[in-house]
Amino acid sequence: MNFDLTEERQMLQDTLRRFLAGAEGDLWPQLAELGVIGALFSEAQGGFGGAGFDLSVVFEELGRADVEVPLIDNALLPGLLLAAAGESVEALIDGSERLAFAHNEQAARYDYNWVETRFENGKLTGEKSVIVGADSADSFIISARHAGTPEAEQGIGLYRVDKAATGLTLRAYDLIQGGRGADITLENTPATLLMEDAYGAITAAMAAATLAVSAETLGSMQTAVEMTAEYLGTRKQFGRPIGTFQALRHRLVDMMVELEQARSAVILGAGNLDAAPNERDFVLSATKNIIGRVGRLVTEESIQMHGGIGMTQEYALGRFAKRITMADHRFGDTDHHLEQFIALGVGV
Amino acid sequence: MDLSYSEKDEAFRAEVRAFLAEKLPKELSEKVRLSQDLEKSDMEFWHAQLNARGWLAANWPKSFGGAEWSAVERNIFEEECAMADAPRIVPFGLSMLAPVLQKFGSKAQQDHWLPRILNGDDWWCQGYSEPGAGSDLASLKTRAVLEGDHYIVNGQKTWTTLGQHANMIFCLVRTDTTAKAQEGISFLLIDMNTPGIEVRPITLIDGGAEVNEVWFTDVKVPVENLVGEENKGWTYAKYLLTHERTNIAGVGSSRAGLAAVKRIAKKVQARGRPLIENPHFAARMAQVEIDLMAMATTNLRIVSKAAAGQAPGVESSLLKIKGTQIRQEITDLARRAVGPHAMPFASDALDASNTPLPDPYDAGEVAGPYFNNRKLAIFGGSNEIQREIYSKHMMRGAK
Ligand SMILES: Cc1cc2nc3c(=O)[nH]c(=O)nc-3n(C[C@H](O)[C@H](O)[C@H](O)COP(=O)(O)OP(=O)(O)OC[C@H]3O[C@@H](n4cnc5c(N)ncnc54)[C@H](O)[C@@H]3O)c2cc1C
């Protein structure tokens, strides 16, 4: 066993950390230029990474930094689906194109098999809800059912849809954690078939996204804990740093204990991203469940130990807290993954 | 022991319900239910309704025209108001300053300020905390120097809740810099329209504008606005804090919050079934409900020990800790319940067109309140400070 990063990944981490520390302006072309998007895809897909540990390195750094870039939504997810359909990912990797994958529907909650949007006679009709990164995308990959009941794993296809396509309405809004989301309504919207039976490709892409959001949250939690440690060392009340009160410093250590758990969970998830689907999803459910639990602890404790200042919009901690908490609302929450873990554990 | 409500209690509950049904407009209760921002006029409206009914001063002693409700009556009132999504009564004048004036104010101060509080002539805010003086309130630095018949006040207060609406602020100020920290503090009533006062908003984590910084530069305050004696302010401040903690358990608002979570969980679909049937979610909900049942009784046990019109003792620290834990747990349940729909940020209009956000579960904002309610364990003496207070009480014999 070896828990060190390879030289290339170490370099990727260092470069990205330096870049994000002083980043300004539109990050997208700069990230593409740095090769960050390419690192999300394998050589076979046209990139130069694509393994679990490439993803965990990239997204942990994004999470540590006070930036919000829809890299999961406008690159990773749609790129993996394009690749699965045998299409080129080049335009995503060089940053010239941004796509979004519109899959989630209100009744689906966190289940990937639940699709009610219909594909009939070359046209899509249905509603997609809370699609992150939709309005920063140039066009969409949309899932729809050409056969079967709403929950059937068979009969879900992937389609490409132009953003300006007829019958497509985009209602965009800000998200709590920063960035934008949208609801998309489709009414006889013309679409091009990408993939006929896509459930396997969807779950594989979602597994990668689950790892990515977990690593990103790990990075944000790391920052939140560091900020709290620093604050406890500098904020004085009763004539001394509040970190001298055991009631606080012991809780800081409790956060650290859980943060290490979260780090291991992300490493486990990264190491199993290429495992057989059931095993992959079993481990990633464990990862996401831990991230959800530790995320809540870190959010609540770091705000509490900051006192009033932790409650303000201006102070960066709040932004990290919101990203950490909202990650529990993406790709399955703590309870959803507990259920998945139980269900899949029977078979693994 | 008798756990049942008396006939008189039940009659009172019916009276409160009838009042709410008649006087609380639907648009207002909907705003409260959906966690939307209330206008100043909304809060003033509700204040006036309660005053007209004689229910505003209900907790004041009879000698000041109050009704001296019993703990049970107070509880019934709070619970019914919360369940009906009534706006909260802004507490700063009514339940913080008033008890201080009643106990320590001069006759002239009582005669002048108390009726104005009831009539809503003044909107009071609380000027205790400073950037360097939060938990360690006694270290406050805002200075007041007596010059002739005026104090000249310089310094800064912060976290001043709803200070943007206030025309009056009660402040703790330092009048003696040589004495021990607690012994050089005075309690001043300051007109917010005095030259030299500047109010700057602080935006909170959920985007809301409920707190402010208040800056004082050579602000002239007439000496008759000193409450009680100079340098005795700490005693009054502590007295006020015990009143601040009277309704700290927030049982009514927890009940309302839990009822809202149940409503949402019936609407949300998970795997083709209502979320309320999902065993994990149901277990989370049941756990909070069980805690709340017990806590409601703890609350009644503790507050009924205090005489009518009086604040409970040191046990209010225990109520604050458990009460806020439960309230926060409920906001956590609400955000879980709506799933991905927790993400849309309601304080910004949809596509800048002022169209409301998609809200398929009629839940209103849920993530915002989750973050906003972190404050419950921070203000009014943080939960850590409550533990300090209570542990000192328990360990008072220890050397
Ligand atoms: C939304 C909101 C509204 C408010 N409204 C008002 C208002 O209207 N008027 C007003 O005057 N104030 C108001 N406050 C201020 C509030 O009372 C203070 O935030 C509170 O006293 C804590 O002070 P602080 O924020 O400076 O945190 P600090 O005192 O710096 O505390 C930071 C952390 O250290 C902990 N800590 C401090 N001392 C100890 C100790 N001895 N042992 C263990 N832990 C300790 C605290 O519990 C906290 O977790 C408000 C605050 C908020 C957030």
Side-chain angles (χ1 to χ4, degrees):
Chain A
M1 286 211 182
N2 173 7
F3 291 104
D4 297 330
L5 291 179
T6 60
E7 216 172 291
E8 290 82 10
R9 290 187 184 125
Q10 188 62 57
M11 262 177 59
L12 179 64
Q13 185 183 63
D14 295 344
T15 314
L16 196 48
R17 191 171 297 184
R18 260 197 317 274
F19 166 73
L20 290 170
E24 275 178 10
D26 184 3
L27 298 188
W28 202 265
Q30 304 178 62
L31 287 171
E33 175 106 353
L34 279 177
V36 173
I37 304 180
L40 308 181
F41 300 100
S42 67
E43 278 176 34
Q45 294 164 334
F48 39 83
F53 291 109
D54 297 306
L55 267 52
S56 63
V57 164
V58 166
F59 285 98
E60 188 184 336
E61 287 313 310
L62 286 176
R64 286 177 71 109
D66 193 2
V67 296
E68 178 67 29
V69 212
L71 201 62
I72 294 178
D73 307 282
N74 286 166
L76 179 68
L77 264 180
L80 291 176
L81 294 172
L82 280 184
E87 306 259 330
S88 162
V89 189
E90 214 173 302
L92 287 181
I93 290 178
D94 69 21
S96 59
E97 194 180 19
R98 294 168 71 164
L99 297 180
F101 176 38
H103 180 59
N104 184 54
E105 299 179 7
Q106 192 195 311
R109 194 167 166 87
Y110 297 122
D111 287 329
Y112 301 134
N113 54 318
W114 196 286
V115 175
E116 292 179 53
T117 298
R118 307 288 308 178
F119 177 78
E120 272 160 7
N121 308 322
K123 303 219 163 104
L124 298 175
T125 299
E127 280 176 44
K128 298 291 182 179
S129 106
V130 198
I131 305 304
V132 179
D135 70 346
S136 50
D138 305 305
S139 61
F140 304 118
I141 298 172
I142 295 183
S143 58
R145 187 166 286 291
H146 50 78
T149 51
E151 75 278 11
E153 292 176 4
Q154 276 76 42
I156 304 171
L158 293 179
Y159 305 86
R160 275 202 79 143
V161 176
D162 207 67
K163 201 173 186 176
T166 52
L168 184 150
T169 327
L170 188 83
R171 297 189 302 155
Y173 37 74
D174 288 344
L175 300 175
I176 299 261
Q177 69 269 37
R180 304 266 290 165
D183 284 12
I184 298 173
T185 312
L186 305 152
E187 229 188 292
N188 288 318
T189 303
T192 324
L193 177 74
L194 257 184
M195 199 178 206
E196 185 85 2
D197 228 338
Y199 186 68
I202 292 171
T203 51
M206 291 301 194
T210 304
L211 171 64
V213 84
S214 298
E216 189 173 349
T217 307
L218 174 66
S220 296
M221 293 195 294
Q222 177 85 40
T223 301
V225 172
E226 280 166 13
M227 288 181 80
T228 307
E230 198 187 315
Y231 195 74
L232 292 196
T234 49
R235 169 70 171 170
K236 284 193 178 151
Q237 288 288 275
F238 304 100
R240 50 192 180 128
I242 57 175
T244 59
F245 300 124
Q246 274 188 3
L248 299 187
R249 64 208 270 196
H250 285 190
R251 280 154 64 189
L252 185 66
V253 177
D254 288 344
M255 282 206 285
M256 209 54 220
V257 169
E258 295 303 322
L259 190 63
E260 290 304 324
Q261 286 285 89
R263 179 170 301 285
S264 293
V266 168
I267 290 172
L268 280 171
N272 283 279
L273 186 62
D274 294 326
N278 272 1
E279 199 166 325
R280 172 197 71 198
D281 293 342
F282 175 71
V283 176
L284 278 163
S285 279
T287 305
K288 192 67 172 35
N289 173 269
I290 289 198
I291 290 290
R293 286 186 290 139
V294 181
R296 181 177 180 198
L297 178 86
V298 170
T299 292
E300 298 184 355
E301 287 288 78
S302 58
I303 292 177
Q304 179 66 24
M305 291 199 253
H306 271 83
I309 193 80
M311 290 285 307
T312 63
Q313 189 172 68
E314 194 182 346
Y315 189 64
L317 179 70
R319 289 192 288 281
F320 288 100
K322 287 187 270 190
R323 288 168 71 190
I324 292 166
T325 304
M326 287 304 112
D328 196 37
H329 295 259
R330 305 209 60 200
F331 312 113
D333 69 2
T334 312
D335 286 354
H336 173 86
H337 282 289
L338 185 65
E339 286 167 9
Q340 293 291 97
F341 185 84
I342 294 168
L344 290 165
V346 177
V348 169
Chain B
M1 289 212 189
D2 179 4
L3 297 181
S4 56
Y5 288 103
S6 69
E7 246 170 65
K8 190 168 154 274
D9 293 336
E10 291 298 357
F12 177 63
R13 188 185 293 279
E15 211 184 328
V16 175
R17 278 198 189 156
F19 168 80
L20 288 164
E22 188 193 345
K23 297 291 181 191
L24 179 62
K26 184 81 180 157
E27 309 119 62
L28 189 49
S29 63
E30 277 297 280
K31 274 191 184 177
V32 173
R33 183 177 73 80
L34 298 172
S35 304
Q36 292 166 356
D37 290 340
L38 297 187
E39 307 287 331
K40 182 182 188 185
S41 55
D42 292 330
M43 295 183 258
E44 285 174 334
F45 166 81
W46 191 236
H47 181 103
Q49 295 301 314
L50 292 171
N51 190 34
R53 184 67 180 75
W55 282 353
L56 205 49
N59 302 332
W60 290 10
K62 289 214 166 90
S63 52
F64 289 100
E68 283 192 14
W69 279 350
S70 69
V72 173
E73 284 169 324
R74 236 183 308 178
N75 233 67
I76 289 172
F77 181 73
E78 276 151 18
E79 200 171 293
E80 291 302 323
C81 287
M83 291 302 284
D85 297 310
R88 73 170 188 137
I89 306 162
V90 180
F92 303 108
L94 194 72
S95 39
M96 294 191 194
L97 178 64
V100 169
L101 290 179
Q102 286 160 2
K103 191 160 166 105
F104 303 106
S106 67
K107 178 85 175 49
Q109 285 171 337
Q110 292 170 351
D111 289 346
H112 180 68
W113 298 113
L114 293 177
R116 294 177 60 86
I117 288 176
L118 290 185
N119 294 333
D121 297 331
D122 297 317
W123 186 302
W124 286 91
C125 63
Q126 180 185 25
Y128 274 27
S129 306
E130 298 180 4
S135 298
D136 183 12
L137 184 57
S139 70
L140 61 94
K141 291 205 167 64
T142 296
R143 191 83 171 89
V145 180
L146 190 61
E147 282 181 17
D149 52 5
H150 282 87
Y151 285 100
I152 306 297
V153 178
N154 279 285
Q156 188 203 339
K157 295 292 173 184
T158 191
W159 310 121
T160 320
T161 298
L162 300 181
Q164 71 268 34
H165 299 326
N167 66 313
M168 291 298 298
I169 180 169
F170 53 87
C171 278
L172 293 181
V173 294
R174 186 158 302 286
T175 35
D176 185 348
T177 49
T178 57
K180 242 184 78 186
Q182 286 84 347
E183 285 159 18
I185 293 171
S186 298
F187 196 108
L188 277 189
L189 312 178
I190 304 180
D191 185 336
M192 299 279 282
N193 295 314
T194 320
I197 296 184
E198 196 195 333
V199 180
R200 296 182 200 159
I202 302 174
T203 307
L204 287 188
I205 187 168
D206 60 337
E210 66 182 72
V211 294
N212 303 270
E213 298 178 321
V214 183
W215 299 73
F216 300 84
T217 315
D218 294 330
V219 174
K220 277 178 82 176
V221 181
V223 70
E224 60 263 28
N225 282 14
L226 173 74
V227 174
E229 289 175 52
E230 204 180 70
N231 299 327
K232 290 276 158 51
W234 189 247
T235 312
Y236 317 148
K238 282 205 305 196
Y239 180 76
L240 181 150
L241 280 177
T242 60
H243 279 269
E244 184 172 353
R245 284 171 203 148
T246 25
N247 183 27
I248 207 71
V251 175
S253 101
S254 282
R255 288 237 164 99
L258 195 58
V261 170
K262 282 190 186 169
R263 270 198 308 270
I264 297 168
K266 280 183 191 155
K267 287 205 177 104
V268 173
Q269 293 289 301
R271 305 194 164 143
R273 304 289 315 157
L275 180 65
I276 201 160
E277 294 174 14
N278 174 288
H280 291 101
F281 194 79
R284 281 186 192 275
M285 252 178 8
Q287 209 66 84
V288 182
E289 190 166 354
I290 289 167
D291 286 346
L292 180 55
M293 277 169 70
M295 204 267 291
T297 300
T298 313
N299 185 46
L300 279 171
R301 280 197 296 123
I302 292 178
V303 298
S304 57
K305 269 203 287 188
Q310 301 291 304
V314 65
E315 293 82 8
S316 62
S317 291
L318 306 182
L319 283 180
K320 195 205 169 188
I321 294 168
K322 196 68 207 173
T324 52
Q325 284 170 347
I326 290 175
R327 283 175 75 181
Q328 292 183 332
E329 190 67 31
I330 291 168
T331 61
D332 180 70
L333 282 180
R335 70 144 181 103
R336 283 178 203 279
V338 300
H341 271 94
M343 289 191 277
F345 183 35
S347 92
D348 235 31
L350 186 73
D351 255 345
S353 63
N354 264 331
T355 328
L357 287 172
D359 183 11
Y361 312 121
D362 191 28
E365 242 195 290
V366 292
Y370 167 75
F371 288 109
N372 183 277
N373 278 314
R374 309 312 316 159
K375 72 188 176 191
L376 299 176
I378 295 173
F379 64 26
S382 72
N383 284 13
E384 288 74 25
I385 293 303
Q386 304 300 337
R387 290 184 178 96
E388 281 295 298
I389 293 171
Y390 206 80
S391 62
K392 284 205 179 101
H393 169 71
M394 290 184 82
M395 295 286 125
R396 62 198 177 280
K399 293 261 154 57

